[in-house]
Amino acid sequence: MPSPYIIAGFGYYVPERVVTNAEMETLVETSDEWITTRTGIKERRFAAPGQATSDLALEAAKAALADAGINAGELTHIVLATLTPDCYCPNAAVIVSEKLGVSEKVCLDVNAACSGFLYALEVTRGLLALHPDAVVLTVAVEVLTSRTNFDDRTTCVLFGDGAGAVVMRNQKNIAAKASIRDIALSSNGALWNLLTVKGGGSAFPLRRGEQAGDEFFIQMAGREVYKHAVRYMETICRDLLAKNNLTPDDINLFIPHQANLRIIEGLGKRLEISMDKVFVNVQKYGNTSAASIPIALTEAYQSGAIRPGHRVLLTSFGGGFTWGAVLLEF
Ligand code: UT7
């Protein structure tokens, strides 16, 4: 029986400004050679001054709505994954609804760091199960540069800004582009301190008139995160495939979180998925956290790397730690 949870449209948006490794060399003591060999990243996109998370989300949303062939007015819910919302209150999803000109929708944000899109898909499945007629915009977006410490070479070369979105609904009399076959999510709060953006939160408040310190920005124990990322993503992919009586051979395209080419290659090797079946765009955008998977998914779909009949496996890992895997059928 086909899954009732279908994707009707895909879209993504990245800001115009391309920042090359050569430009990063002018900001911190680094080199194109170091960034390329350690991460695979060649360039990333930076939001323009004044361009907020909701602005990027809006563009991705418009693209996904156009691909689905529906108007924003037909949406019932907006689920937005981010760790860099426009502001603390209100959530970023309501601001997107206002910018879309449809301000009376049910809007919520999800924060699961880089796994945000996969968590948002699970939330969307829940909404669709509760509300059979729901039409949900599920968008994942980051302006990571708003929380990047450009004096910290160990993190600032890694990140970029962007947004990706899908329109989801239950299977009705409409053509499904893809359906969600299954989702597995996990987290381990014991390791939360390894990847954080603490500053400004209630435990690490920024008092009136105080200057933001280092903890206002992304802080990451890179090597530790690397180790856990590979292991946890491998395990959850294997478990999800086994639960669905599939093996890695049954996957036509594998789309892992785009944080580091070495992690992507290591994961492909461990899962015995050859690199020609692994989608990679980390060289163009760096790590866009929650937006990474929907940007890659939309690019893969638009480029023809995904074709009807394909089985696609998504996986992600991020702060929390949170991680997950999603099985899609096209
Ligand atoms: O998206 C959420 C999940 N995040 C991730 O998956 C990221 C996981 N971690 C990583 O991708 C990698 O750990 C990094 C890319 C962050 C770092 O790569 P690494 O191979 O683990 O390098 P390292 O942190 O062990 O640093 C190696 C050396 C150090 O110098 P020493 O101590 O060996 O002399 C660093 O100081 O590289 C130095 N270094 C740099 N050199 C030039 C660190 N950053 C830079 C830099 N340019 N930008």
mmCIF file of all heavy atoms in Angstrom, residues 5-29:
data_model
loop_
_atom_site.group_PDB
_atom_site.id
_atom_site.type_symbol
_atom_site.label_atom_id
_atom_site.label_comp_id
_atom_site.label_asym_id
_atom_site.label_seq_id
_atom_site.Cartn_x
_atom_site.Cartn_y
_atom_site.Cartn_z
ATOM 1 N N TYR A 5 1.605 9.678 3.193
ATOM 2 C CA TYR A 5 2.295 10.961 3.397
ATOM 3 C C TYR A 5 3.099 11.309 2.153
ATOM 4 O O TYR A 5 4.154 10.735 1.919
ATOM 5 C CB TYR A 5 3.217 10.878 4.613
ATOM 6 C CG TYR A 5 2.518 10.328 5.827
ATOM 7 C CD1 TYR A 5 2.884 9.110 6.371
ATOM 8 C CD2 TYR A 5 1.466 11.032 6.416
ATOM 9 C CE1 TYR A 5 2.236 8.608 7.484
ATOM 10 C CE2 TYR A 5 0.803 10.531 7.524
ATOM 11 C CZ TYR A 5 1.196 9.319 8.056
ATOM 12 O OH TYR A 5 0.547 8.817 9.143
ATOM 13 N N ILE A 6 2.599 12.262 1.389
ATOM 14 C CA ILE A 6 3.275 12.516 0.117
ATOM 15 C C ILE A 6 3.883 13.918 0.051
ATOM 16 O O ILE A 6 3.437 14.843 0.710
ATOM 17 C CB ILE A 6 2.332 12.302 -1.090
ATOM 18 C CG1 ILE A 6 1.249 13.372 -1.102
ATOM 19 C CG2 ILE A 6 1.748 10.910 -1.121
ATOM 20 C CD1 ILE A 6 0.941 13.817 -2.497
ATOM 21 N N ILE A 7 4.935 13.988 -0.762
ATOM 22 C CA ILE A 7 5.545 15.282 -1.055
ATOM 23 C C ILE A 7 5.012 15.714 -2.413
ATOM 24 O O ILE A 7 5.150 14.999 -3.411
ATOM 25 C CB ILE A 7 7.080 15.187 -1.065
ATOM 26 C CG1 ILE A 7 7.586 14.768 0.327
ATOM 27 C CG2 ILE A 7 7.699 16.533 -1.479
ATOM 28 C CD1 ILE A 7 9.092 14.586 0.423
ATOM 29 N N ALA A 8 4.389 16.908 -2.426
ATOM 30 C CA ALA A 8 3.782 17.400 -3.664
ATOM 31 C C ALA A 8 4.685 18.414 -4.370
ATOM 32 O O ALA A 8 4.480 18.697 -5.554
ATOM 33 C CB ALA A 8 2.430 18.038 -3.345
ATOM 34 N N GLY A 9 5.654 18.978 -3.645
ATOM 35 C CA GLY A 9 6.527 19.973 -4.279
ATOM 36 C C GLY A 9 7.804 20.194 -3.495
ATOM 37 O O GLY A 9 7.824 20.044 -2.269
ATOM 38 N N PHE A 10 8.875 20.532 -4.228
ATOM 39 C CA PHE A 10 10.185 20.779 -3.628
ATOM 40 C C PHE A 10 10.657 22.192 -4.001
ATOM 41 O O PHE A 10 10.393 22.658 -5.121
ATOM 42 C CB PHE A 10 11.248 19.827 -4.206
ATOM 43 C CG PHE A 10 10.993 18.368 -3.961
ATOM 44 C CD1 PHE A 10 10.227 17.631 -4.856
ATOM 45 C CD2 PHE A 10 11.536 17.732 -2.864
ATOM 46 C CE1 PHE A 10 10.005 16.275 -4.655
ATOM 47 C CE2 PHE A 10 11.320 16.384 -2.649
ATOM 48 C CZ PHE A 10 10.549 15.652 -3.548
ATOM 49 N N GLY A 11 11.415 22.827 -3.109
ATOM 50 C CA GLY A 11 12.011 24.121 -3.465
ATOM 51 C C GLY A 11 13.199 24.431 -2.578
ATOM 52 O O GLY A 11 13.303 23.907 -1.470
ATOM 53 N N TYR A 12 14.112 25.241 -3.085
ATOM 54 C CA TYR A 12 15.199 25.702 -2.220
ATOM 55 C C TYR A 12 15.616 27.098 -2.634
ATOM 56 O O TYR A 12 15.268 27.585 -3.723
ATOM 57 C CB TYR A 12 16.405 24.741 -2.245
ATOM 58 C CG TYR A 12 17.326 24.878 -3.436
ATOM 59 C CD1 TYR A 12 18.518 25.611 -3.335
ATOM 60 C CD2 TYR A 12 17.020 24.290 -4.647
ATOM 61 C CE1 TYR A 12 19.376 25.734 -4.416
ATOM 62 C CE2 TYR A 12 17.863 24.416 -5.735
ATOM 63 C CZ TYR A 12 19.039 25.143 -5.612
ATOM 64 O OH TYR A 12 19.877 25.278 -6.688
ATOM 65 N N TYR A 13 16.335 27.734 -1.748
ATOM 66 C CA TYR A 13 16.864 29.072 -2.026
ATOM 67 C C TYR A 13 18.190 29.221 -1.305
ATOM 68 O O TYR A 13 18.315 28.836 -0.149
ATOM 69 C CB TYR A 13 15.887 30.155 -1.541
ATOM 70 C CG TYR A 13 16.488 31.546 -1.610
ATOM 71 C CD1 TYR A 13 16.556 32.234 -2.820
ATOM 72 C CD2 TYR A 13 17.037 32.151 -0.476
ATOM 73 C CE1 TYR A 13 17.146 33.490 -2.885
ATOM 74 C CE2 TYR A 13 17.621 33.407 -0.545
ATOM 75 C CZ TYR A 13 17.673 34.062 -1.758
ATOM 76 O OH TYR A 13 18.265 35.295 -1.832
ATOM 77 N N VAL A 14 19.161 29.777 -2.005
ATOM 78 C CA VAL A 14 20.415 30.162 -1.337
ATOM 79 C C VAL A 14 20.688 31.636 -1.658
ATOM 80 O O VAL A 14 20.369 32.100 -2.761
ATOM 81 C CB VAL A 14 21.622 29.283 -1.766
ATOM 82 C CG1 VAL A 14 21.515 27.887 -1.184
ATOM 83 C CG2 VAL A 14 21.772 29.223 -3.278
ATOM 84 N N PRO A 15 21.253 32.385 -0.709
ATOM 85 C CA PRO A 15 21.533 33.800 -0.964
ATOM 86 C C PRO A 15 22.520 33.959 -2.119
ATOM 87 O O PRO A 15 23.302 33.052 -2.419
ATOM 88 C CB PRO A 15 22.168 34.278 0.344
ATOM 89 C CG PRO A 15 21.839 33.251 1.362
ATOM 90 C CD PRO A 15 21.650 31.966 0.647
ATOM 91 N N GLU A 16 22.486 35.144 -2.718
ATOM 92 C CA GLU A 16 23.316 35.383 -3.917
ATOM 93 C C GLU A 16 24.807 35.410 -3.626
ATOM 94 O O GLU A 16 25.624 34.996 -4.439
ATOM 95 C CB GLU A 16 22.937 36.733 -4.528
ATOM 96 C CG GLU A 16 21.764 36.630 -5.483
ATOM 97 C CD GLU A 16 21.258 37.985 -5.911
ATOM 98 O OE1 GLU A 16 22.082 38.910 -6.061
ATOM 99 O OE2 GLU A 16 20.031 38.109 -6.078
ATOM 100 N N ARG A 17 25.176 35.892 -2.430
ATOM 101 C CA ARG A 17 26.584 36.153 -2.176
ATOM 102 C C ARG A 17 27.380 34.853 -1.978
ATOM 103 O O ARG A 17 27.170 34.104 -1.028
ATOM 104 C CB ARG A 17 26.751 37.057 -0.940
ATOM 105 C CG ARG A 17 28.182 37.345 -0.691
ATOM 106 C CD ARG A 17 28.466 38.629 0.044
ATOM 107 N NE ARG A 17 29.905 38.656 0.209
ATOM 108 C CZ ARG A 17 30.541 38.624 1.348
ATOM 109 N NH1 ARG A 17 29.877 38.630 2.476
ATOM 110 N NH2 ARG A 17 31.846 38.614 1.395
ATOM 111 N N VAL A 18 28.320 34.628 -2.918
ATOM 112 C CA VAL A 18 29.188 33.449 -2.862
ATOM 113 C C VAL A 18 30.472 33.848 -2.141
ATOM 114 O O VAL A 18 31.106 34.840 -2.499
ATOM 115 C CB VAL A 18 29.527 32.966 -4.293
ATOM 116 C CG1 VAL A 18 30.496 31.777 -4.252
ATOM 117 C CG2 VAL A 18 28.255 32.603 -5.052
ATOM 118 N N VAL A 19 30.838 33.085 -1.112
ATOM 119 C CA VAL A 19 32.073 33.379 -0.372
ATOM 120 C C VAL A 19 33.025 32.203 -0.568
ATOM 121 O O VAL A 19 32.765 31.083 -0.118
ATOM 122 C CB VAL A 19 31.777 33.616 1.121
ATOM 123 C CG1 VAL A 19 33.062 33.870 1.898
ATOM 124 C CG2 VAL A 19 30.811 34.787 1.288
ATOM 125 N N THR A 20 34.108 32.469 -1.277
ATOM 126 C CA THR A 20 35.053 31.396 -1.610
ATOM 127 C C THR A 20 36.022 31.152 -0.447
ATOM 128 O O THR A 20 36.148 31.977 0.468
ATOM 129 C CB THR A 20 35.884 31.793 -2.843
ATOM 130 O OG1 THR A 20 36.618 32.986 -2.488
ATOM 131 C CG2 THR A 20 35.029 32.047 -4.060
ATOM 132 N N ASN A 21 36.742 30.042 -0.552
ATOM 133 C CA ASN A 21 37.779 29.785 0.454
ATOM 134 C C ASN A 21 38.830 30.893 0.419
ATOM 135 O O ASN A 21 39.392 31.257 1.458
ATOM 136 C CB ASN A 21 38.436 28.427 0.208
ATOM 137 C CG ASN A 21 37.496 27.277 0.559
ATOM 138 O OD1 ASN A 21 36.463 27.494 1.199
ATOM 139 N ND2 ASN A 21 37.858 26.075 0.149
ATOM 140 N N ALA A 22 39.093 31.435 -0.765
ATOM 141 C CA ALA A 22 40.078 32.530 -0.877
ATOM 142 C C ALA A 22 39.616 33.723 -0.035
ATOM 143 O O ALA A 22 40.435 34.365 0.638
ATOM 144 C CB ALA A 22 40.248 32.937 -2.340
ATOM 145 N N GLU A 23 38.301 33.986 -0.041
ATOM 146 C CA GLU A 23 37.807 35.105 0.784
ATOM 147 C C GLU A 23 37.919 34.766 2.271
ATOM 148 O O GLU A 23 38.236 35.644 3.090
ATOM 149 C CB GLU A 23 36.358 35.453 0.399
ATOM 150 C CG GLU A 23 35.903 36.715 1.109
ATOM 151 C CD GLU A 23 34.553 37.249 0.644
ATOM 152 O OE1 GLU A 23 34.050 36.840 -0.416
ATOM 153 O OE2 GLU A 23 34.012 38.096 1.377
ATOM 154 N N MET A 24 37.693 33.517 2.628
ATOM 155 C CA MET A 24 37.845 33.121 4.042
ATOM 156 C C MET A 24 39.297 33.315 4.493
ATOM 157 O O MET A 24 39.540 33.638 5.661
ATOM 158 C CB MET A 24 37.416 31.661 4.255
ATOM 159 C CG MET A 24 35.943 31.364 4.045
ATOM 160 S SD MET A 24 34.767 32.438 4.927
ATOM 161 C CE MET A 24 35.163 32.139 6.631
ATOM 162 N N GLU A 25 40.225 33.122 3.553
ATOM 163 C CA GLU A 25 41.658 33.331 3.884
ATOM 164 C C GLU A 25 41.927 34.768 4.324
ATOM 165 O O GLU A 25 42.875 35.022 5.062
ATOM 166 C CB GLU A 25 42.544 32.993 2.679
ATOM 167 C CG GLU A 25 42.655 31.499 2.391
ATOM 168 C CD GLU A 25 43.453 31.221 1.109
ATOM 169 O OE1 GLU A 25 43.966 32.184 0.489
ATOM 170 O OE2 GLU A 25 43.538 30.040 0.728
ATOM 171 N N THR A 26 41.086 35.702 3.856
ATOM 172 C CA THR A 26 41.290 37.106 4.240
ATOM 173 C C THR A 26 40.699 37.407 5.621
ATOM 174 O O THR A 26 40.972 38.455 6.203
ATOM 175 C CB THR A 26 40.654 38.084 3.207
ATOM 176 O OG1 THR A 26 39.216 37.940 3.278
ATOM 177 C CG2 THR A 26 41.130 37.808 1.794
ATOM 178 N N LEU A 27 39.864 36.492 6.139
ATOM 179 C CA LEU A 27 39.204 36.731 7.427
ATOM 180 C C LEU A 27 39.920 36.068 8.598
ATOM 181 O O LEU A 27 39.992 36.617 9.691
ATOM 182 C CB LEU A 27 37.755 36.199 7.381
ATOM 183 C CG LEU A 27 36.807 36.817 6.361
ATOM 184 C CD1 LEU A 27 35.450 36.134 6.400
ATOM 185 C CD2 LEU A 27 36.637 38.310 6.662
ATOM 186 N N VAL A 28 40.388 34.840 8.387
ATOM 187 C CA VAL A 28 41.077 34.096 9.454
ATOM 188 C C VAL A 28 42.306 33.403 8.873
ATOM 189 O O VAL A 28 42.441 33.277 7.644
ATOM 190 C CB VAL A 28 40.165 32.999 10.090
ATOM 191 C CG1 VAL A 28 39.190 33.585 11.071
ATOM 192 C CG2 VAL A 28 39.478 32.164 9.028
ATOM 193 N N GLU A 29 43.163 32.917 9.777
ATOM 194 C CA GLU A 29 44.362 32.220 9.322
ATOM 195 C C GLU A 29 43.987 30.808 8.880
ATOM 196 O O GLU A 29 43.888 29.881 9.701
ATOM 197 C CB GLU A 29 45.381 32.168 10.456
ATOM 198 C CG GLU A 29 46.784 31.888 9.962
ATOM 199 C CD GLU A 29 47.755 31.751 11.118
ATOM 200 O OE1 GLU A 29 47.593 32.480 12.116
ATOM 201 O OE2 GLU A 29 48.651 30.902 10.998
#
